[in-house]
Amino acid sequence: PNKVSSWLMGKPTAPLVTVKPYTMKGKSTGSHDTPTTPDYVQLQEKKDGALWVRYKEYGWFIYKRSEDGDLGREQKGLAEFPDKGDASGLMYSENLKTLKSFILQRPLPNKVTEWIHHQKCLAFIVTPKKSENDPAKAVDENSDVVETEDKSVTWTYEGRSFRCWIHESPAGVVLMEEEVTHGS
């Protein structure tokens, strides 16, 4: 096949594959089980360029984009020891037309695939959901600003402290937020 020949001649893997959004419709894997993506409960894009994903069943995983044209890397992450896992290369499934976790042996969620393969910023991938009780209004009305600087602000809400700042990178500006409550 042309993809294999190109790869053998030294072409990086990422440009050789056509990654599409994964859907289970019409997928036949030869087994009775159609592969599903793992459910995630949290996504965090970190300053070091990694994407942290907390899966409902598997805990934290750390994804990194490739710098040399491969498909990217993943490792099982522990919040306390983020560098303590072995990193594995991601796989491409020709049958599923998407990226697949080497560790979980399942297709990656579309948001993770978009972040890794299409080099999109998480802020452009995730759409905030509208809430019925408007928690942003409650925070606005019940929080106290503690400190403001040129490009950051710190505030407290219900006994917890938060800091929000502007992070400038070559790709643009990202609004960052972290909890700064002592002991959290």
Side-chain angles (χ1 to χ4, degrees):
N2 290 338
K3 290 179 184 178
V4 174
S5 298
S6 295
W7 180 78
L8 288 171
M9 293 174 29
K11 189 167 184 177
T13 308
L16 295 173
V17 298
T18 304
V19 176
K20 297 179 180 177
Y22 179 71
T23 64
M24 295 187 315
K25 295 177 188 168
K27 301 293 183 204
S28 174
T29 61
S31 69
H32 298 296
D33 296 326
T34 302
T36 58
T37 61
D39 291 330
Y40 62 87
V41 292
Q42 195 170 0
L43 299 168
Q44 295 180 4
E45 189 169 13
K46 300 291 188 172
K47 285 192 269 185
D48 66 357
L51 179 68
W52 283 53
V53 180
R54 186 163 61 99
Y55 291 113
K56 196 176 203 175
E57 295 178 54
Y58 307 106
W60 286 103
F61 273 68
I62 303 165
Y63 294 93
K64 295 197 175 183
R65 294 176 173 141
S66 169
E67 294 179 11
D68 60 1
D70 71 8
L71 297 174
R73 304 196 62 73
E74 71 174 340
Q75 74 183 70
K76 179 84 171 110
L78 302 171
E80 301 83 18
F81 308 104
D83 297 324
K84 298 295 182 192
D86 290 331
S88 300
L90 295 171
M91 301 183 299
Y92 174 74
S93 169
E94 185 68 36
N95 186 36
L96 302 175
K97 300 284 188 221
T98 194
L99 297 181
K100 195 172 169 183
S101 167
F102 181 80
I103 297 169
L104 301 176
Q105 293 295 305
R106 294 174 70 180
L108 293 177
N110 288 333
K111 286 180 175 47
V112 176
T113 299
E114 283 186 62
W115 185 87
I116 293 168
H117 190 72
H118 299 293
Q119 306 281 319
K120 289 187 177 179
C121 173
L122 189 60
F124 296 126
I125 298 170
V126 177
T127 305
K129 294 185 170 110
K130 177 120 175 92
S131 172
E132 295 296 321
N133 57 5
D134 199 6
K137 184 177 179 184
V139 170
D140 284 345
E141 292 173 354
N142 300 304
S143 64
D144 295 311
V145 173
V146 177
E147 178 181 355
T148 59
E149 295 177 17
D150 185 30
K151 295 183 179 181
S152 73
V153 63
T154 305
W155 71 92
T156 60
Y157 177 72
E158 294 185 348
R160 298 166 65 191
S161 296
F162 301 89
R163 179 175 167 255
C164 187
W165 70 97
I166 295 172
H167 173 72
E168 296 179 43
S169 71
V173 176
V174 179
L175 190 60
M176 307 288 287
E177 181 183 27
E178 69 181 344
E179 184 168 354
V180 293
T181 305
H182 296 292
S184 65

